[in-house]
Each structure stands twice: as structure tokens, then as C-alpha cells.
Amino acid sequence: MQVAVFSSCEYDRPGLQQALADIGHQARFCVDALAPDTVSFAEGCQAVCIFVNDRADVEMLEHLSAAGIRLLALRCAGTDHVDLPAARRLGIAVTRVGDYSPHSVAEHALLLALALARQLPQAAARTRAFNFALDGLVGFELHARTVGIIGTGRIGTAFAGILRGFGCRVLGYDIAPNAGFDACGGHSVSLAELQARADVISLHCALNAQTRHLVDAAFLANCRPGLLLVNTSRGAVVDTRAVTDALQSGRLGAYGADVYEREAGLFFGDHSRDAVRDPLLSELLAQPRALLTGHQGFLTDRALAQIAASVAESLEDFAAGRALRHRVPDSG
Ligand code: NAD
């Protein structure tokens, strides 16, 4: 079977190529995102493999369906960029990578929290300039602090386990509380209690209608002043305007993010020479207490191998006509 892989990068191409070749399928790689002007790349293929910023809305799914695509294999965990009811109506099965190392993202959340708590970006900039003065670099310890986790699924629970090792009090909120989270030493509480008590809040919920702009000005007003906020989930869970304003006013102590609500078309590429830059992101990045990485929480050797293996399993199941192990519920 031929598979069109969109938004492919140097880091994921060899692993995917090998994993698919091992089971007798051929990958065709396109560096561009899936879009109306690139969709023809999938012609002659039976399956398409996409990543987080490839939008599979109803119009795109209709294009894919007309091109004979019957399997959309996501090489990510989130499904917010796919119109699942439309896929179901068009008979396109959707699979995702549900089982890759949650520690890849959980450790990245920890990295952002620690770097901001200890002012690492400022400290590194100083030492690089041979400035070894410590004034202005007083940090805080995570030990004995209260950390609130919103979204206590796989990644949120892995993060709770790490934080227990740091001696943190770990609170969690989820619309579907997870017993595994409490078994890891976390305490499930209401969202209001989490906001009132947490010194650090880390977002690990899925992006959906309820969580879009969950963190806005009103949310931040109900949190502790000086809060350290971390977002490794999806950019649109946070209202970036509100977070930037809160950093500027000092209401929010620090913001560490791996995602940005307008990252599509920007992240995963080199835009350092673009004449015009996203003004909101520029404003956020100008804040000394903001730290951003370009959606790399998943980018570890182990997670990449698991992603390639999971995509291969989906193709194997699909080609064999059996139940799809990684099928997204509610898809075709
Ligand atoms: P998961 O499905 O195990 O957990 C997501 C949790 O969000 C679930 O427990 C769900 O009940 C909860 N949730 C849904 N709506 C909610 C709401 N309104 N309020 C509170 N909680 C709500 O997923 P996961 O594997 O733990 O991944 C979590 C998120 O991390 C993904 O959805 C994805 O957006 C993001 N992610 C980011 C990266 C990265 O590289 N930065 C990589 C993988 C996943």
C-alpha cells in the first residue's frame, strides 16, 4: 500500500520509512502540510498520514475521499484538527498514536517549569556574556509547592508521578477523573480549588469546545498572583492575549509553553528570515518571563520509534481488513 505522509521532517522520515517498509508498505513523503494545493500529492495512495498542524476539515476530507483515501493515520495523540463526524460520514477510518511515551511530554513540562522557576534563560544569557552576577536571579523550589494539573490523562498522570518525586503537593482536575492519577499520589479536586491553591498549573487536557481558551483573563484572575503556568497540551487551550497581558501586569509570574494557538503554518519550519512576524507571538516572546519551544514535547528517540511503530500497526490492520487497534472512537 502507498501512504502519503504530509508535513514530514528529517527527524521522522527514516523511522517511518523503515517501519512501513518492514511490513511491505511504501511511504511517499511531502514536506508541506496537507492543504488544498498539496492534496493532489495523495493521488494513487490508499492512506494518508498527517501530523498536528495538518487540518483535516470537511472540505479536505471530501478531497481525500474523492482521491480514494480510506485511512487517515494521525502520527499524534490529539484529534482536534480532524472533523471526526465528517470522516465517519465519508467512510474514512481515523487512527491516532495513543500509546507513545507520556514521559516525553511530561518531562518537557517539567523542563519548562524548572527553567522558569530558576530563571534559566536569563542565567544562561548572562553567563554567555561573561556576566556572573546573581542579582535578579532568585528562583523558587518546586519542593513543597502545590502543582495543579488540568487534564489527568496519560501525560497529566505521568507528570504527577514525576512531581511526587520532587516533593510537590499535586492537585488534579479532569472532567473524567482518573483513579490512576490519585494512585500516583495526586488529589482530584474541583477546578476552582485547583486555581485557588496551585503555585504552578500545568495544562494536559485535550483541546475541545470546553477547553478552548479555558485559560483566559477570568481564569487567571481566580489563580494565585505570580502563578507559573505551563502549557504543553494545545495552544488554543490558552488565550494568548490574556496571558501576555497578565505577564505584562505581573498578575501571571511566568508562562512556559510548547504550543501556540496560531502555530499552524509557523511551527516546524524556519521563519527566522520572514519579513512579517506574528505580532501576538512577538509580543509574548518579548516578555522576559515567557519561555516557548516549538511543539517538541514529543520529540524524543523513544517516542519517535513508538509513533512510527503505531502508524505501521494501523496500516497493517487496515491492509489486513481487521479491527484497527488505534482507531479513534467516533471516526469512520
Ligand atoms: P489523554 O486523552 O490521555 O488525556 C487528556 C485528558 O483531558 C483526558 O483525561 C480528558 O478527560 C481530559 N479533558 C478533556 N476535556 C476536559 C475538560 N473540559 N476539562 C478537563 N479535562 C478535560 O491524552 P494525553 O496523551 O495525556 O495528551 C494530553 C494532551 O497533550 C493531548 O490532547 C495533546 O493535545 C497534548 N500533546 C502534546 C504533545 C506535545 O508534543 N506538546 C504531544 C502529545 C500530546
Side-chain angles (χ1 to χ4, degrees), residues 77-78 80 96 98 100 105 150-156 173-176 204-208 210-211 214 232-234 258-259 295-298:
D80 48 277
R96 69 170 189 148
Y100 74 89
V105 186
I150 298 182
T152 56
R154 297 171 63 255
I155 296 170
Y173 167 73
D174 197 303
I175 38 155
H204 298 287
C205 52
L207 173 63
N208 54 39
Q210 290 77 45
T211 60
L214 172 74
T232 58
S233 59
R234 284 288 180 268
D258 187 43
V259 287
H295 208 139
Q296 66 175 78
F298 70 96

PDB file of all heavy atoms in Angstrom, residues 77-78 80 96 98 100 105 150-156 173-176 204-208 210-211 214 232-234 258-259 295-298, ligand 1:
ATOM      1  N   ALA A  77      -1.228  12.331  19.138  1.00  0.00           N
ATOM      2  CA  ALA A  77      -2.264  11.839  20.056  1.00  0.00           C
ATOM      3  C   ALA A  77      -3.557  12.638  19.921  1.00  0.00           C
ATOM      4  O   ALA A  77      -4.649  12.073  19.913  1.00  0.00           O
ATOM      5  CB  ALA A  77      -1.742  11.911  21.496  1.00  0.00           C
ATOM      6  N   GLY A  78      -3.430  13.968  19.801  1.00  0.00           N
ATOM      7  CA  GLY A  78      -4.613  14.833  19.743  1.00  0.00           C
ATOM      8  C   GLY A  78      -5.363  14.654  18.430  1.00  0.00           C
ATOM      9  O   GLY A  78      -4.759  14.365  17.381  1.00  0.00           O
ATOM     10  N   ASP A  80      -7.944  17.037  17.624  1.00  0.00           N
ATOM     11  CA  ASP A  80      -8.719  18.275  17.499  1.00  0.00           C
ATOM     12  C   ASP A  80      -8.686  18.874  16.099  1.00  0.00           C
ATOM     13  O   ASP A  80      -9.507  19.720  15.767  1.00  0.00           O
ATOM     14  CB  ASP A  80      -8.204  19.304  18.517  1.00  0.00           C
ATOM     15  CG  ASP A  80      -6.698  19.436  18.502  1.00  0.00           C
ATOM     16  OD1 ASP A  80      -6.019  18.629  19.151  1.00  0.00           O
ATOM     17  OD2 ASP A  80      -6.199  20.316  17.813  1.00  0.00           O
ATOM     18  N   ARG A  96      -4.956   7.087  15.568  1.00  0.00           N
ATOM     19  CA  ARG A  96      -4.033   8.032  16.192  1.00  0.00           C
ATOM     20  C   ARG A  96      -2.973   7.255  16.947  1.00  0.00           C
ATOM     21  O   ARG A  96      -3.069   6.025  17.095  1.00  0.00           O
ATOM     22  CB  ARG A  96      -4.776   8.966  17.136  1.00  0.00           C
ATOM     23  CG  ARG A  96      -5.305   8.288  18.374  1.00  0.00           C
ATOM     24  CD  ARG A  96      -5.812   9.306  19.371  1.00  0.00           C
ATOM     25  NE  ARG A  96      -6.122   8.676  20.644  1.00  0.00           N
ATOM     26  CZ  ARG A  96      -6.003   9.268  21.818  1.00  0.00           C
ATOM     27  NH1 ARG A  96      -5.582  10.500  21.906  1.00  0.00           N
ATOM     28  NH2 ARG A  96      -6.307   8.625  22.930  1.00  0.00           N
ATOM     29  N   GLY A  98      -1.972   6.576  20.293  1.00  0.00           N
ATOM     30  CA  GLY A  98      -2.465   6.772  21.649  1.00  0.00           C
ATOM     31  C   GLY A  98      -1.470   6.332  22.703  1.00  0.00           C
ATOM     32  O   GLY A  98      -1.557   6.733  23.851  1.00  0.00           O
ATOM     33  N   TYR A 100       2.095   6.429  22.882  1.00  0.00           N
ATOM     34  CA  TYR A 100       3.528   6.695  22.973  1.00  0.00           C
ATOM     35  C   TYR A 100       3.884   7.343  24.299  1.00  0.00           C
ATOM     36  O   TYR A 100       3.043   7.905  24.982  1.00  0.00           O
ATOM     37  CB  TYR A 100       4.043   7.449  21.759  1.00  0.00           C
ATOM     38  CG  TYR A 100       3.703   8.910  21.631  1.00  0.00           C
ATOM     39  CD1 TYR A 100       4.521   9.871  22.193  1.00  0.00           C
ATOM     40  CD2 TYR A 100       2.597   9.319  20.918  1.00  0.00           C
ATOM     41  CE1 TYR A 100       4.249  11.212  22.035  1.00  0.00           C
ATOM     42  CE2 TYR A 100       2.309  10.652  20.776  1.00  0.00           C
ATOM     43  CZ  TYR A 100       3.135  11.596  21.330  1.00  0.00           C
ATOM     44  OH  TYR A 100       2.858  12.912  21.193  1.00  0.00           O
ATOM     45  N   VAL A 105       6.417  14.120  26.939  1.00  0.00           N
ATOM     46  CA  VAL A 105       5.772  15.424  27.125  1.00  0.00           C
ATOM     47  C   VAL A 105       5.801  15.826  28.599  1.00  0.00           C
ATOM     48  O   VAL A 105       6.027  16.994  28.935  1.00  0.00           O
ATOM     49  CB  VAL A 105       4.319  15.405  26.589  1.00  0.00           C
ATOM     50  CG1 VAL A 105       3.706  16.799  26.659  1.00  0.00           C
ATOM     51  CG2 VAL A 105       4.281  14.914  25.140  1.00  0.00           C
ATOM     52  N   ILE A 150      -4.242  20.170  35.005  1.00  0.00           N
ATOM     53  CA  ILE A 150      -5.572  20.168  34.370  1.00  0.00           C
ATOM     54  C   ILE A 150      -5.521  19.182  33.205  1.00  0.00           C
ATOM     55  O   ILE A 150      -4.767  19.370  32.249  1.00  0.00           O
ATOM     56  CB  ILE A 150      -5.950  21.592  33.908  1.00  0.00           C
ATOM     57  CG1 ILE A 150      -6.036  22.516  35.130  1.00  0.00           C
ATOM     58  CG2 ILE A 150      -7.280  21.562  33.143  1.00  0.00           C
ATOM     59  CD1 ILE A 150      -6.446  23.944  34.837  1.00  0.00           C
ATOM     60  N   GLY A 151      -6.286  18.112  33.333  1.00  0.00           N
ATOM     61  CA  GLY A 151      -6.224  17.006  32.365  1.00  0.00           C
ATOM     62  C   GLY A 151      -5.360  15.918  32.954  1.00  0.00           C
ATOM     63  O   GLY A 151      -4.135  15.951  32.819  1.00  0.00           O
ATOM     64  N   THR A 152      -6.016  14.960  33.642  1.00  0.00           N
ATOM     65  CA  THR A 152      -5.238  13.918  34.332  1.00  0.00           C
ATOM     66  C   THR A 152      -5.260  12.609  33.549  1.00  0.00           C
ATOM     67  O   THR A 152      -5.461  11.537  34.102  1.00  0.00           O
ATOM     68  CB  THR A 152      -5.759  13.716  35.773  1.00  0.00           C
ATOM     69  OG1 THR A 152      -7.162  13.408  35.691  1.00  0.00           O
ATOM     70  CG2 THR A 152      -5.554  14.963  36.598  1.00  0.00           C
ATOM     71  N   GLY A 153      -5.086  12.730  32.235  1.00  0.00           N
ATOM     72  CA  GLY A 153      -4.983  11.554  31.370  1.00  0.00           C
ATOM     73  C   GLY A 153      -3.573  10.983  31.457  1.00  0.00           C
ATOM     74  O   GLY A 153      -2.919  11.066  32.501  1.00  0.00           O
ATOM     75  N   ARG A 154      -3.096  10.445  30.340  1.00  0.00           N
ATOM     76  CA  ARG A 154      -1.814   9.741  30.351  1.00  0.00           C
ATOM     77  C   ARG A 154      -0.654  10.670  30.710  1.00  0.00           C
ATOM     78  O   ARG A 154       0.162  10.366  31.572  1.00  0.00           O
ATOM     79  CB  ARG A 154      -1.569   9.085  28.991  1.00  0.00           C
ATOM     80  CG  ARG A 154      -2.618   8.022  28.664  1.00  0.00           C
ATOM     81  CD  ARG A 154      -2.518   7.528  27.240  1.00  0.00           C
ATOM     82  NE  ARG A 154      -1.245   6.882  27.004  1.00  0.00           N
ATOM     83  CZ  ARG A 154      -0.249   7.406  26.326  1.00  0.00           C
ATOM     84  NH1 ARG A 154      -0.361   8.605  25.794  1.00  0.00           N
ATOM     85  NH2 ARG A 154       0.868   6.753  26.161  1.00  0.00           N
ATOM     86  N   ILE A 155      -0.596  11.821  30.039  1.00  0.00           N
ATOM     87  CA  ILE A 155       0.540  12.724  30.269  1.00  0.00           C
ATOM     88  C   ILE A 155       0.412  13.401  31.630  1.00  0.00           C
ATOM     89  O   ILE A 155       1.388  13.490  32.393  1.00  0.00           O
ATOM     90  CB  ILE A 155       0.646  13.763  29.127  1.00  0.00           C
ATOM     91  CG1 ILE A 155       0.942  13.057  27.791  1.00  0.00           C
ATOM     92  CG2 ILE A 155       1.738  14.788  29.426  1.00  0.00           C
ATOM     93  CD1 ILE A 155       0.844  13.948  26.559  1.00  0.00           C
ATOM     94  N   GLY A 156      -0.797  13.852  31.959  1.00  0.00           N
ATOM     95  CA  GLY A 156      -1.003  14.501  33.258  1.00  0.00           C
ATOM     96  C   GLY A 156      -0.639  13.572  34.410  1.00  0.00           C
ATOM     97  O   GLY A 156      -0.033  13.996  35.400  1.00  0.00           O
ATOM     98  N   TYR A 173      -7.386  18.219  38.058  1.00  0.00           N
ATOM     99  CA  TYR A 173      -8.792  18.399  37.665  1.00  0.00           C
ATOM    100  C   TYR A 173      -8.987  17.802  36.279  1.00  0.00           C
ATOM    101  O   TYR A 173      -8.151  18.004  35.377  1.00  0.00           O
ATOM    102  CB  TYR A 173      -9.176  19.888  37.632  1.00  0.00           C
ATOM    103  CG  TYR A 173     -10.502  20.084  36.932  1.00  0.00           C
ATOM    104  CD1 TYR A 173     -11.695  19.701  37.556  1.00  0.00           C
ATOM    105  CD2 TYR A 173     -10.554  20.569  35.621  1.00  0.00           C
ATOM    106  CE1 TYR A 173     -12.907  19.819  36.883  1.00  0.00           C
ATOM    107  CE2 TYR A 173     -11.766  20.694  34.952  1.00  0.00           C
ATOM    108  CZ  TYR A 173     -12.943  20.314  35.583  1.00  0.00           C
ATOM    109  OH  TYR A 173     -14.130  20.414  34.924  1.00  0.00           O
ATOM    110  N   ASP A 174     -10.069  17.061  36.120  1.00  0.00           N
ATOM    111  CA  ASP A 174     -10.398  16.475  34.814  1.00  0.00           C
ATOM    112  C   ASP A 174     -11.914  16.299  34.770  1.00  0.00           C
ATOM    113  O   ASP A 174     -12.518  16.008  35.811  1.00  0.00           O
ATOM    114  CB  ASP A 174      -9.683  15.112  34.665  1.00  0.00           C
ATOM    115  CG  ASP A 174      -9.632  14.650  33.215  1.00  0.00           C
ATOM    116  OD1 ASP A 174     -10.704  14.531  32.585  1.00  0.00           O
ATOM    117  OD2 ASP A 174      -8.525  14.405  32.704  1.00  0.00           O
ATOM    118  N   ILE A 175     -12.534  16.460  33.603  1.00  0.00           N
ATOM    119  CA  ILE A 175     -13.976  16.206  33.546  1.00  0.00           C
ATOM    120  C   ILE A 175     -14.268  14.725  33.769  1.00  0.00           C
ATOM    121  O   ILE A 175     -15.368  14.368  34.177  1.00  0.00           O
ATOM    122  CB  ILE A 175     -14.636  16.623  32.198  1.00  0.00           C
ATOM    123  CG1 ILE A 175     -13.725  16.307  31.036  1.00  0.00           C
ATOM    124  CG2 ILE A 175     -15.108  18.057  32.208  1.00  0.00           C
ATOM    125  CD1 ILE A 175     -14.505  16.113  29.773  1.00  0.00           C
ATOM    126  N   ALA A 176     -13.296  13.880  33.480  1.00  0.00           N
ATOM    127  CA  ALA A 176     -13.456  12.441  33.723  1.00  0.00           C
ATOM    128  C   ALA A 176     -12.333  12.007  34.659  1.00  0.00           C
ATOM    129  O   ALA A 176     -11.283  11.550  34.203  1.00  0.00           O
ATOM    130  CB  ALA A 176     -13.388  11.679  32.404  1.00  0.00           C
ATOM    131  N   HIS A 204      -2.748  19.731  30.597  1.00  0.00           N
ATOM    132  CA  HIS A 204      -2.573  18.454  29.893  1.00  0.00           C
ATOM    133  C   HIS A 204      -3.913  17.921  29.391  1.00  0.00           C
ATOM    134  O   HIS A 204      -4.079  16.706  29.208  1.00  0.00           O
ATOM    135  CB  HIS A 204      -1.896  17.428  30.814  1.00  0.00           C
ATOM    136  CG  HIS A 204      -0.533  17.859  31.231  1.00  0.00           C
ATOM    137  ND1 HIS A 204       0.538  17.845  30.363  1.00  0.00           N
ATOM    138  CD2 HIS A 204      -0.084  18.394  32.379  1.00  0.00           C
ATOM    139  CE1 HIS A 204       1.598  18.328  30.985  1.00  0.00           C
ATOM    140  NE2 HIS A 204       1.260  18.677  32.205  1.00  0.00           N
ATOM    141  N   CYS A 205      -4.871  18.816  29.194  1.00  0.00           N
ATOM    142  CA  CYS A 205      -6.187  18.378  28.720  1.00  0.00           C
ATOM    143  C   CYS A 205      -6.230  18.390  27.196  1.00  0.00           C
ATOM    144  O   CYS A 205      -5.424  19.065  26.537  1.00  0.00           O
ATOM    145  CB  CYS A 205      -7.276  19.285  29.276  1.00  0.00           C
ATOM    146  SG  CYS A 205      -6.976  21.032  28.996  1.00  0.00           S
ATOM    147  N   ALA A 206      -7.175  17.662  26.647  1.00  0.00           N
ATOM    148  CA  ALA A 206      -7.390  17.681  25.197  1.00  0.00           C
ATOM    149  C   ALA A 206      -7.993  19.041  24.827  1.00  0.00           C
ATOM    150  O   ALA A 206      -8.627  19.691  25.659  1.00  0.00           O
ATOM    151  CB  ALA A 206      -8.357  16.560  24.833  1.00  0.00           C
ATOM    152  N   LEU A 207      -7.799  19.454  23.579  1.00  0.00           N
ATOM    153  CA  LEU A 207      -8.464  20.670  23.090  1.00  0.00           C
ATOM    154  C   LEU A 207      -9.836  20.277  22.561  1.00  0.00           C
ATOM    155  O   LEU A 207      -9.954  19.408  21.691  1.00  0.00           O
ATOM    156  CB  LEU A 207      -7.636  21.315  21.971  1.00  0.00           C
ATOM    157  CG  LEU A 207      -8.313  22.508  21.266  1.00  0.00           C
ATOM    158  CD1 LEU A 207      -8.541  23.662  22.228  1.00  0.00           C
ATOM    159  CD2 LEU A 207      -7.474  22.970  20.074  1.00  0.00           C
ATOM    160  N   ASN A 208     -10.872  20.891  23.113  1.00  0.00           N
ATOM    161  CA  ASN A 208     -12.233  20.661  22.625  1.00  0.00           C
ATOM    162  C   ASN A 208     -13.041  21.926  22.890  1.00  0.00           C
ATOM    163  O   ASN A 208     -12.473  22.942  23.339  1.00  0.00           O
ATOM    164  CB  ASN A 208     -12.841  19.410  23.292  1.00  0.00           C
ATOM    165  CG  ASN A 208     -12.784  19.478  24.812  1.00  0.00           C
ATOM    166  OD1 ASN A 208     -12.997  20.536  25.396  1.00  0.00           O
ATOM    167  ND2 ASN A 208     -12.493  18.353  25.449  1.00  0.00           N
ATOM    168  N   GLN A 210     -14.991  22.751  25.205  1.00  0.00           N
ATOM    169  CA  GLN A 210     -14.975  23.211  26.600  1.00  0.00           C
ATOM    170  C   GLN A 210     -13.615  23.772  27.008  1.00  0.00           C
ATOM    171  O   GLN A 210     -13.522  24.622  27.885  1.00  0.00           O
ATOM    172  CB  GLN A 210     -15.318  22.067  27.573  1.00  0.00           C
ATOM    173  CG  GLN A 210     -16.753  21.590  27.539  1.00  0.00           C
ATOM    174  CD  GLN A 210     -17.018  20.713  26.327  1.00  0.00           C
ATOM    175  OE1 GLN A 210     -16.236  19.836  26.007  1.00  0.00           O
ATOM    176  NE2 GLN A 210     -18.110  20.979  25.636  1.00  0.00           N
ATOM    177  N   THR A 211     -12.552  23.274  26.405  1.00  0.00           N
ATOM    178  CA  THR A 211     -11.216  23.697  26.865  1.00  0.00           C
ATOM    179  C   THR A 211     -10.612  24.803  25.988  1.00  0.00           C
ATOM    180  O   THR A 211      -9.565  25.333  26.332  1.00  0.00           O
ATOM    181  CB  THR A 211     -10.231  22.500  26.917  1.00  0.00           C
ATOM    182  OG1 THR A 211     -10.125  21.940  25.599  1.00  0.00           O
ATOM    183  CG2 THR A 211     -10.688  21.442  27.900  1.00  0.00           C
ATOM    184  N   LEU A 214      -9.765  27.995  27.726  1.00  0.00           N
ATOM    185  CA  LEU A 214     -10.064  27.725  29.154  1.00  0.00           C
ATOM    186  C   LEU A 214      -9.300  28.716  30.033  1.00  0.00           C
ATOM    187  O   LEU A 214      -9.828  29.248  31.007  1.00  0.00           O
ATOM    188  CB  LEU A 214      -9.648  26.275  29.481  1.00  0.00           C
ATOM    189  CG  LEU A 214      -9.694  25.858  30.942  1.00  0.00           C
ATOM    190  CD1 LEU A 214     -11.137  25.664  31.388  1.00  0.00           C
ATOM    191  CD2 LEU A 214      -8.921  24.554  31.158  1.00  0.00           C
ATOM    192  N   THR A 232       1.715  22.415  27.662  1.00  0.00           N
ATOM    193  CA  THR A 232       2.259  21.510  26.638  1.00  0.00           C
ATOM    194  C   THR A 232       1.120  20.764  25.949  1.00  0.00           C
ATOM    195  O   THR A 232       1.354  19.764  25.283  1.00  0.00           O
ATOM    196  CB  THR A 232       3.236  20.478  27.247  1.00  0.00           C
ATOM    197  OG1 THR A 232       2.544  19.743  28.257  1.00  0.00           O
ATOM    198  CG2 THR A 232       4.476  21.132  27.833  1.00  0.00           C
ATOM    199  N   SER A 233      -0.132  21.234  26.126  1.00  0.00           N
ATOM    200  CA  SER A 233      -1.261  20.496  25.541  1.00  0.00           C
ATOM    201  C   SER A 233      -1.536  20.989  24.121  1.00  0.00           C
ATOM    202  O   SER A 233      -0.952  20.452  23.159  1.00  0.00           O
ATOM    203  CB  SER A 233      -2.491  20.594  26.438  1.00  0.00           C
ATOM    204  OG  SER A 233      -2.894  21.929  26.632  1.00  0.00           O
ATOM    205  N   ARG A 234      -2.387  21.979  23.980  1.00  0.00           N
ATOM    206  CA  ARG A 234      -2.632  22.587  22.671  1.00  0.00           C
ATOM    207  C   ARG A 234      -2.688  24.089  22.877  1.00  0.00           C
ATOM    208  O   ARG A 234      -3.219  24.568  23.891  1.00  0.00           O
ATOM    209  CB  ARG A 234      -3.951  22.094  22.066  1.00  0.00           C
ATOM    210  CG  ARG A 234      -3.878  20.687  21.487  1.00  0.00           C
ATOM    211  CD  ARG A 234      -3.062  20.640  20.181  1.00  0.00           C
ATOM    212  NE  ARG A 234      -3.003  19.291  19.621  1.00  0.00           N
ATOM    213  CZ  ARG A 234      -2.044  18.402  19.863  1.00  0.00           C
ATOM    214  NH1 ARG A 234      -1.040  18.700  20.661  1.00  0.00           N
ATOM    215  NH2 ARG A 234      -2.084  17.211  19.292  1.00  0.00           N
ATOM    216  N   ASP A 258       4.848  24.963  25.006  1.00  0.00           N
ATOM    217  CA  ASP A 258       5.408  24.199  23.881  1.00  0.00           C
ATOM    218  C   ASP A 258       4.500  24.348  22.667  1.00  0.00           C
ATOM    219  O   ASP A 258       4.775  23.764  21.616  1.00  0.00           O
ATOM    220  CB  ASP A 258       5.519  22.718  24.295  1.00  0.00           C
ATOM    221  CG  ASP A 258       6.248  21.869  23.263  1.00  0.00           C
ATOM    222  OD1 ASP A 258       7.276  22.338  22.732  1.00  0.00           O
ATOM    223  OD2 ASP A 258       5.774  20.750  22.971  1.00  0.00           O
ATOM    224  N   VAL A 259       3.415  25.075  22.854  1.00  0.00           N
ATOM    225  CA  VAL A 259       2.381  25.159  21.817  1.00  0.00           C
ATOM    226  C   VAL A 259       1.875  26.597  21.754  1.00  0.00           C
ATOM    227  O   VAL A 259       2.015  27.351  22.724  1.00  0.00           O
ATOM    228  CB  VAL A 259       1.213  24.196  22.145  1.00  0.00           C
ATOM    229  CG1 VAL A 259       1.600  22.747  21.903  1.00  0.00           C
ATOM    230  CG2 VAL A 259       0.747  24.360  23.597  1.00  0.00           C
ATOM    231  N   HIS A 295       6.698  23.106  19.851  1.00  0.00           N
ATOM    232  CA  HIS A 295       5.967  21.835  19.814  1.00  0.00           C
ATOM    233  C   HIS A 295       6.930  20.645  19.683  1.00  0.00           C
ATOM    234  O   HIS A 295       6.881  19.885  18.720  1.00  0.00           O
ATOM    235  CB  HIS A 295       4.942  21.832  18.673  1.00  0.00           C
ATOM    236  CG  HIS A 295       3.765  20.945  18.969  1.00  0.00           C
ATOM    237  ND1 HIS A 295       2.479  21.293  18.671  1.00  0.00           N
ATOM    238  CD2 HIS A 295       3.681  19.709  19.556  1.00  0.00           C
ATOM    239  CE1 HIS A 295       1.661  20.324  19.041  1.00  0.00           C
ATOM    240  NE2 HIS A 295       2.380  19.354  19.584  1.00  0.00           N
ATOM    241  N   GLN A 296       7.794  20.521  20.664  1.00  0.00           N
ATOM    242  CA  GLN A 296       8.796  19.447  20.633  1.00  0.00           C
ATOM    243  C   GLN A 296       8.699  18.522  21.834  1.00  0.00           C
ATOM    244  O   GLN A 296       9.597  17.709  22.066  1.00  0.00           O
ATOM    245  CB  GLN A 296      10.210  20.048  20.545  1.00  0.00           C
ATOM    246  CG  GLN A 296      10.624  20.845  21.787  1.00  0.00           C
ATOM    247  CD  GLN A 296      12.067  21.317  21.720  1.00  0.00           C
ATOM    248  OE1 GLN A 296      12.372  22.280  21.048  1.00  0.00           O
ATOM    249  NE2 GLN A 296      12.955  20.627  22.418  1.00  0.00           N
ATOM    250  N   GLY A 297       7.593  18.637  22.579  1.00  0.00           N
ATOM    251  CA  GLY A 297       7.443  17.778  23.753  1.00  0.00           C
ATOM    252  C   GLY A 297       7.557  16.299  23.395  1.00  0.00           C
ATOM    253  O   GLY A 297       8.095  15.501  24.151  1.00  0.00           O
ATOM    254  N   PHE A 298       7.043  15.939  22.216  1.00  0.00           N
ATOM    255  CA  PHE A 298       7.032  14.527  21.799  1.00  0.00           C
ATOM    256  C   PHE A 298       8.389  14.074  21.248  1.00  0.00           C
ATOM    257  O   PHE A 298       8.580  12.888  20.980  1.00  0.00           O
ATOM    258  CB  PHE A 298       5.984  14.345  20.675  1.00  0.00           C
ATOM    259  CG  PHE A 298       6.430  14.995  19.394  1.00  0.00           C
ATOM    260  CD1 PHE A 298       7.062  14.245  18.401  1.00  0.00           C
ATOM    261  CD2 PHE A 298       6.286  16.358  19.210  1.00  0.00           C
ATOM    262  CE1 PHE A 298       7.518  14.842  17.239  1.00  0.00           C
ATOM    263  CE2 PHE A 298       6.753  16.967  18.046  1.00  0.00           C
ATOM    264  CZ  PHE A 298       7.362  16.209  17.066  1.00  0.00           C
TER     265      PHE A 298
HETATM  266  P1  NAD B   1      -5.379  11.783  27.254  1.00  0.00           P
HETATM  267  O1  NAD B   1      -6.526  11.576  26.314  1.00  0.00           O
HETATM  268  O2  NAD B   1      -4.817  10.609  27.990  1.00  0.00           O
HETATM  269  O3  NAD B   1      -5.750  12.908  28.365  1.00  0.00           O
HETATM  270  C1  NAD B   1      -6.466  14.070  28.043  1.00  0.00           C
HETATM  271  C2  NAD B   1      -7.369  14.370  29.231  1.00  0.00           C
HETATM  272  O4  NAD B   1      -8.043  15.618  29.009  1.00  0.00           O
HETATM  273  C3  NAD B   1      -8.469  13.298  29.436  1.00  0.00           C
HETATM  274  O5  NAD B   1      -8.325  12.703  30.716  1.00  0.00           O
HETATM  275  C4  NAD B   1      -9.766  14.094  29.303  1.00  0.00           C
HETATM  276  O6  NAD B   1     -10.809  13.637  30.151  1.00  0.00           O
HETATM  277  C5  NAD B   1      -9.270  15.494  29.687  1.00  0.00           C
HETATM  278  N1  NAD B   1     -10.216  16.538  29.337  1.00  0.00           N
HETATM  279  C6  NAD B   1     -10.993  16.633  28.225  1.00  0.00           C
HETATM  280  N2  NAD B   1     -11.792  17.709  28.319  1.00  0.00           N
HETATM  281  C7  NAD B   1     -11.535  18.287  29.518  1.00  0.00           C
HETATM  282  C8  NAD B   1     -12.060  19.412  30.191  1.00  0.00           C
HETATM  283  N3  NAD B   1     -13.052  20.137  29.670  1.00  0.00           N
HETATM  284  N4  NAD B   1     -11.556  19.729  31.408  1.00  0.00           N
HETATM  285  C9  NAD B   1     -10.577  18.976  31.965  1.00  0.00           C
HETATM  286  N5  NAD B   1     -10.036  17.877  31.380  1.00  0.00           N
HETATM  287  C10 NAD B   1     -10.531  17.547  30.173  1.00  0.00           C
HETATM  288  O7  NAD B   1      -4.255  12.498  26.385  1.00  0.00           O
HETATM  289  P2  NAD B   1      -2.698  12.616  26.691  1.00  0.00           P
HETATM  290  O8  NAD B   1      -1.963  11.580  25.918  1.00  0.00           O
HETATM  291  O9  NAD B   1      -2.475  12.722  28.168  1.00  0.00           O
HETATM  292  O10 NAD B   1      -2.395  14.021  25.984  1.00  0.00           O
HETATM  293  C11 NAD B   1      -2.910  15.218  26.537  1.00  0.00           C
HETATM  294  C12 NAD B   1      -2.793  16.319  25.503  1.00  0.00           C
HETATM  295  O11 NAD B   1      -1.412  16.640  25.328  1.00  0.00           O
HETATM  296  C13 NAD B   1      -3.265  15.873  24.104  1.00  0.00           C
HETATM  297  O12 NAD B   1      -4.648  16.107  23.945  1.00  0.00           O
HETATM  298  C14 NAD B   1      -2.469  16.738  23.182  1.00  0.00           C
HETATM  299  O13 NAD B   1      -3.236  17.892  22.914  1.00  0.00           O
HETATM  300  C15 NAD B   1      -1.240  17.133  24.015  1.00  0.00           C
HETATM  301  N6  NAD B   1       0.024  16.574  23.481  1.00  0.00           N
HETATM  302  C16 NAD B   1       1.059  17.425  23.261  1.00  0.00           C
HETATM  303  C17 NAD B   1       2.266  16.940  22.789  1.00  0.00           C
HETATM  304  C18 NAD B   1       3.443  17.845  22.552  1.00  0.00           C
HETATM  305  O14 NAD B   1       4.379  17.448  21.858  1.00  0.00           O
HETATM  306  N7  NAD B   1       3.467  19.027  23.148  1.00  0.00           N
HETATM  307  C19 NAD B   1       2.391  15.561  22.499  1.00  0.00           C
HETATM  308  C20 NAD B   1       1.310  14.715  22.765  1.00  0.00           C
HETATM  309  C21 NAD B   1       0.127  15.226  23.262  1.00  0.00           C
END
